[in-house]
Amino acid sequence: WLPVLGPEFFAMNPLPCPCQSGQSHERCCAPLHQGRQVAADAEALMRSRYCAYVLQHIDYLVATTVPAQQALLDTAAMAAWSRSTQWQGLRIHRHQRVGKQHALVEFSADFRDAGGQMQTHHELSAFVCMDGRWYFIDPTVALPAAKQPCVCGSGRKFKHCCGRWLAA
């Protein structure tokens, strides 16, 4: 379990960023969490989202999910998982830009669960860039049917837009 630490703590204690970028938290994910910067690419967003789980910044996780999905997120469950997990590390396996506004990030996050057991969460996540900002497309919430409008607001059918990357 890690306590929620505010930006003041990290400003006075230049600890390595939990996302394991090799930079201090203050120079890496903190500006994103504080809304002073936006993620440069999907990998940076993925790293900042992992860091947000470590630091229990659930509002940031919601804000960086596709806006059409935000109201569908179970924030209580996200917060409970964040609190009950001892995060051990993040490994980015690949970051691939696909198409004009999409990207995939394959990663593994190691953690100890509430029972103390070591676990690894491995995922291939899909992201979409909307109005210059990257967002996570959450496959765990209800998604539109193939022929319905896409969650990203592109005006295209879901199967021809974000939907094709969720099946990757």
Side-chain angles (χ1 to χ4, degrees), residues 7-35:
E8 315 78 39
F9 175 86
F10 287 101
M12 295 174 57
N13 301 287
L15 297 174
C17 193
C19 81
Q20 298 184 307
S21 65
Q23 299 180 52
S24 71
H25 177 260
E26 189 59 33
R27 293 189 182 274
C28 188
C29 290
L32 281 70
H33 293 163
Q34 296 164 3

Side-chain angles (χ1 to χ4, degrees), residues 48-101:
S48 71
R49 287 177 57 84
Y50 169 83
C51 185
Y53 268 110
V54 172
L55 300 176
Q56 301 171 30
H57 295 319
I58 306 307
D59 290 345
Y60 180 79
L61 294 167
V62 172
T64 57
T65 300
V66 171
Q69 294 184 309
Q70 292 176 3
L72 304 173
L73 297 173
D74 186 345
T75 57
M78 293 165 68
W81 189 44
S82 179
R83 278 191 310 273
S84 68
T85 302
Q86 294 177 0
W87 300 96
Q88 304 292 307
L90 175 69
R91 291 183 311 282
I92 302 292
H93 303 294
R94 76 179 156 118
H95 169 224
Q96 176 184 3
R97 186 80 184 251
V98 288
K100 293 180 182 176
Q101 69 185 70

